[in-house]
Amino acid sequence: NILRHSSRSPISRSILSVSNHVCFFSHDVPPGPRARHITTHRHTGTSCGGLTASTVGTTTSKNNSSIMQQNCRSLLQPLQMQQNQQRQQQPHRHFASAPTHPFVLSHPSEVDNTQNPTRGRIICITSGKGGVGKTTSAASFATGLAKRGRTTCVVDFDIGLRNLDIHLGVERRVVFDFVHVLTGECTLNQALIKDKKVEGLSMLAASQTRDKEALTMEGVEKVLDQLAEKFDYVVLDSPAGIESGARHAMFFCDDAIVVTNPELSSCRDADKMIGFVSSRSRRAEIGEGKDGCAAVSQTLLITRYDPARAEAEESLAITDMKELLGLPVIGVIPESRDVLTCTNVGKPVISMGEENPAAGAYMDMVDRFLGEEKELRFVTPEPVSFFKRIFG
């Protein structure tokens, strides 16, 4: 019984010294018949803490056993009380719950003031389904913002499965990562990687070896607060689905760009993510309209769009996706072989220039986000020439 009690304690070993008699209670000794026996070695006739060793033998009496249990509890009780107090003092916030401590990141109304924002905007690139082009889009979108003169940091939230560094061509320069900053092993400035080709663009890599459970609400909030003070825009490359990395990314965002392919399963998962952003973000927690807080601005980015297949009803059309998801379209990225080429050589698609359809579509997306009015391009099939119809 004493051993079972000590095994439940946060202390791995409790030592009771009764004069020259030392009794060990350890996790290493399994509970059983031997747990009822305590071997003694010398008789001293002295007492300590109310427990007297007065006989020589191989077992203790029932009375001594009960006294020893009481002494164990009296020794362990102060430590347990101390641990309980420490747990109560540690601030902890859950998703979709009322805030329990003052926010470190400034109130959303302060960044919604376009005339005089006090910090940078936080933009989450998200989706429900994997493989739709979130990382490709995050790299090109952040690069486009930096090329338009806005200081931008893009953050990889896919802890354990980072790929953003490959898309930007900086995989060999990663020394410290996001988790290192959270755990205090380095400063934020040490972990930031500045792009050598695009001025004003930086990246914070995700950890390749740690688990997503390393992310905490308080830690992520502090890092994003520091980034929002340094940059005009903070782009969060969210992992797919609704696991820890995705939830932390969407919780603090001011804007959400939902990426989807023109197929039904991708749109259904995107619709689920739209609901999560609307109900489980920080702005939803505060309450729309409360103290000037607006809802998260959500837009739709359609990737791998083939207008010829959409016209032949082999894939969803733009109007179908807009009706299904109910979001304004911020960009349509056409199907292109150059996307794979850019990933392999380590450069964003947008860097290929205006003449490239995929790069031009990403440039238009950036301009629309910054408030410019631009018509959608690459959304109608290219006319087929007479000779191509004949010879294929």
Side-chain angles (χ1 to χ4, degrees):
N1 291 334
I2 301 173
L3 291 174
R4 292 192 187 98
H5 177 78
S6 62
S7 66
R8 290 193 297 268
S9 170
I11 306 174
S12 62
R13 175 172 291 182
S14 299
I15 301 176
L16 291 178
S17 177
V18 184
S19 185
N20 293 334
H21 302 273
V22 182
C23 307
F24 292 94
F25 305 95
S26 172
H27 283 295
D28 302 331
V29 182
R34 294 178 60 189
R36 304 188 186 97
H37 299 276
I38 302 173
T39 304
T40 59
H41 303 285
R42 280 179 62 188
H43 167 65
T44 61
T46 57
S47 62
C48 179
L51 182 61
T52 303
S54 59
T55 59
V56 178
T58 59
T59 59
T60 60
S61 65
K62 293 183 179 180
N63 293 334
N64 284 341
S65 177
S66 62
I67 295 174
M68 292 177 69
Q69 290 182 9
Q70 293 176 2
N71 278 271
C72 283
R73 294 190 185 97
S74 64
L75 288 172
L76 298 175
Q77 186 176 8
L79 295 172
Q80 291 175 344
M81 292 177 62
Q82 182 180 0
Q83 286 191 344
N84 291 334
Q85 291 176 358
Q86 291 177 352
R87 292 192 191 99
Q88 293 175 0
Q89 291 173 359
Q90 291 178 353
H92 184 71
R93 299 221 341 261
H94 297 277
F95 293 101
S97 62
T100 57
H101 69 89
F103 285 110
V104 176
L105 192 65
S106 62
H107 195 275
S109 61
E110 298 183 17
V111 73
D112 290 338
N113 182 7
T114 56
Q115 301 297 329
N116 189 25
T118 59
R119 63 169 175 85
R121 293 190 72 87
I122 299 174
I123 309 156
C124 178
I125 311 293
T126 186
S127 75
K129 191 173 181 293
V132 298
K134 291 184 302 300
T135 303
T136 300
S137 300
S140 290
F141 180 63
T143 302
L145 289 173
K147 285 186 174 182
R148 297 297 190 271
R150 274 71 169 182
T151 56
T152 307
C153 179
V154 56
V155 184
D156 194 344
F157 264 78
D158 200 353
I159 307 298
L161 296 171
R162 75 172 181 229
N163 285 307
L164 182 61
D165 54 333
I166 295 177
H167 285 256
L168 294 175
V170 297
E171 65 274 9
R172 296 183 181 180
R173 297 172 55 196
V174 178
V175 179
F176 296 110
D177 55 52
F178 194 1
V179 176
H180 287 140
V181 180
L182 291 175
T183 57
E185 298 176 48
C186 70
T187 64
L188 179 61
N189 289 330
Q190 288 178 290
L192 287 176
I193 302 173
K194 293 184 179 180
D195 194 285
K196 295 181 178 180
K197 300 177 182 178
V198 181
E199 186 178 357
L201 177 64
S202 298
M203 189 204 74
L204 180 59
S207 174
Q208 189 76 325
T209 58
R210 303 291 288 272
D211 189 77
K212 290 179 173 63
E213 298 305 319
L215 299 178
T216 62
M217 291 281 284
E218 290 76 19
V220 171
E221 185 178 18
K222 289 178 182 178
V223 173
L224 292 181
D225 178 62
Q226 295 178 58
L227 290 173
E229 292 293 329
K230 293 171 64 70
F231 298 95
D232 297 328
Y233 293 100
V234 181
V235 180
L236 311 181
D237 179 23
S238 169
I242 53 176
E243 45 83 24
S244 177
R247 295 200 309 271
H248 281 90
M250 74 174 69
F251 184 80
F252 293 103
C253 70
D254 302 306
D255 305 277
I257 298 176
V258 182
V259 185
T260 185
N261 290 157
E263 46 103 3
L264 189 58
S265 63
S266 179
C267 287
R268 186 176 69 173
D269 291 346
D271 192 30
K272 186 74 173 179
M273 294 305 299
I274 294 170
F276 269 96
V277 174
S278 300
S279 60
R280 297 194 176 185
S281 64
R282 177 181 183 234
R283 289 173 177 257
E285 182 180 274
I286 296 173
E288 184 178 356
K290 186 176 181 180
D291 300 327
C293 178
V296 176
S297 174
Q298 300 190 63
T299 51
L300 183 64
L301 176 64
I302 302 171
T303 57
R304 305 192 65 177
Y305 186 72
D306 188 341
R309 298 191 66 181
E311 189 176 65
E313 298 184 353
E314 295 177 359
S315 67
L316 295 177
I318 298 175
T319 53
D320 297 331
M321 289 181 278
K322 288 176 65 176
E323 183 179 354
L324 180 63
L325 300 176
L327 293 181
V329 177
I330 195 174
V332 177
I333 314 301
E335 180 75 74
S336 175
R337 295 181 179 180
D338 296 326
V339 173
L340 180 59
T341 303
C342 288
T343 303
N344 291 334
V345 300
K347 66 177 183 179
V349 178
I350 199 172
S351 62
M352 299 192 69
E354 184 73 28
E355 64 279 359
N356 183 274
Y362 275 119
M363 289 181 180
D364 291 349
M365 168 199 173
V366 173
D367 292 336
R368 292 189 194 96
F369 180 82
L370 295 176
E372 295 185 25
E373 295 288 340
K374 282 198 170 184
E375 292 185 3
L376 292 174
R377 296 189 291 169
F378 317 111
V379 295
T380 56
E382 294 182 0
V384 181
S385 65
F386 174 76
F387 292 101
K388 190 172 183 180
R389 289 180 181 177
I390 296 177
F391 299 105

